[in-house]
Amino acid sequence: MSNDTPNARRVFWFDDNKKPNVADFLNKDPSIAMHVLAFDAPEEDVWPIAETSHVYCITSTRDEIPDPYKAHAELLARCPDLLAVSASGAGYDPVDVDACTAAGVLVVNQSGANAQAVAEHATGMMLALTKKMFETDRSLHKERGVFREVFKGWNAQGKTLGVIGLGNTGRRTAFICAHGLGMKVLAYDPYISPEDFKERGATSVSLEELLAQSDFVSIHCPYNAETKDMICAETLSLMKPSAFLVNCARGGIVNEPDLHEALANKTIAGAGIDVWVMEPPPLDHPLLTHDNLIATYHTAGVTVDSRNNMARWNAEQVVEILKGKRPPRLINPEVWDKYAERFERVFGFKPEGK
């Protein structure tokens, strides 16, 4: 732990066994008291630290955090000097953003830190699906006498990719597929400008058009009330029977029972799923019965490079916040005025920016 003087900036983080993590970087800063906690520690050891801290660094995955330690209204009420919640990755599922905004607490993430890793994973899933790599691998491990023509796939070149969400990860996926594989790229993203689509090398279309025209659909949008079950029986029915679906964004965007039915009924040709409603999914999950589904452990963004990026970006952003700077990846900018008043009360000076 760094210097824990009465005037120190106090930060807490629950150790989730991921290395490196934000504490590895913040421990090097003598101005910060970095407290590393354990989820299974007695509450009497946890709350005195949490209740007097200024920043809560929180993991991005909802199932990895016990409910009492998610960033919800109850936790915020117990932490009167908490100024910011910083998610370790792009996602912030364990954070109630509305509750943070009401309490005058900044919410920030590390969007972009693992974008290249996720884009590469999504592209890898597409190629593995269209070349039937996993089906071939499983067969070769357990049987002989199989006519190899049954594993005949398709070239990606010249096919159409539909990207749902053209942000940090979506644009990288589009770039890899367009420039590396010669694919046409369509995109659905209602939150960017026509100029953004042009700069990111994609043609803007409606969600319905994207699903109907694409040979591959890759999801790269946040999970929220708008995107929950976005891909369901109704939208899956719009896809080509020869098309593949890839989700490396968040569980819950794709309705899992509906995807199971679509694969069973050959509504679509296959799917690659890295994210799940329950992580990891149970061994008897219906989706895991399909040979034309590639399943991974929410590992698309888990690389040596991205772990370093996420930990370093997180630490740098926390330091900037505690110096009174406006953070670069602010999720709830509408909170700023209320936050600034609280920051001045806690530290005696106003933060910069509006």
Side-chain angles (χ1 to χ4, degrees), residues 321-339:
I321 290 169
L322 292 174
K323 286 180 178 178
K325 309 290 186 181
R326 187 179 177 93
R329 295 176 292 279
L330 179 57
I331 301 300
N332 57 342
E334 66 275 16
V335 78
W336 189 261
D337 289 344
K338 186 171 184 178
Y339 158 77

Side-chain angles (χ1 to χ4, degrees), residues 95-170:
V95 181
D96 184 334
V97 177
D98 290 340
C100 287
T101 301
V105 174
L106 300 184
V107 178
V108 297
N109 69 355
Q110 317 317 319
S111 179
N114 64 357
Q116 184 64 28
V118 178
E120 291 178 8
H121 194 98
T123 306
M125 280 184 155
M126 293 180 220
L127 293 176
L129 285 163
T130 193
K131 301 296 188 294
K132 300 190 177 182
M133 290 182 186
F134 279 72
E135 293 169 76
T136 306
D137 175 81
R138 293 167 189 146
S139 174
L140 197 58
H141 272 86
K142 68 182 181 182
E143 59 189 352
R144 290 297 179 271
V146 178
F147 187 39
R148 64 178 180 167
E149 288 292 299
V150 303
F151 301 114
K152 184 165 55 183
W154 300 266
N155 289 357
Q157 185 180 37
K159 299 298 190 298
T160 298
L161 167 67
V163 179
I164 299 175
L166 203 59
N168 285 304
T169 307

Side-chain angles (χ1 to χ4, degrees), residues 1 42 85 189 197:
M1 183 178 69
V85 176
D189 192 325
F197 282 97

Side-chain angles (χ1 to χ4, degrees), residues 52 97 210 219:
T52 57
V97 177
L210 182 147
I219 301 171

Side-chain angles (χ1 to χ4, degrees), residues 258-327:
D258 288 356
L259 178 58
H260 166 62
E261 291 298 321
L263 292 172
N265 297 330
K266 303 189 185 307
T267 302
I268 63 172
I273 303 296
D274 181 58
V275 288
W276 306 81
V277 173
M278 178 185 294
E279 295 184 338
L283 283 171
D284 61 353
H285 195 296
L287 282 175
L288 299 179
T289 64
H290 296 285
D291 286 339
N292 57 343
L293 179 127
I294 300 173
T296 51
Y297 276 95
H298 199 157
T299 50
V302 181
T303 65
V304 171
D305 312 83
S306 62
R307 279 278 179 253
N308 274 287
N309 285 343
M310 288 188 286
R312 178 170 52 83
W313 288 24
N314 196 354
E316 290 172 353
Q317 189 161 221
V318 167
V319 169
E320 289 296 292
I321 290 169
L322 292 174
K323 286 180 178 178
K325 309 290 186 181
R326 187 179 177 93

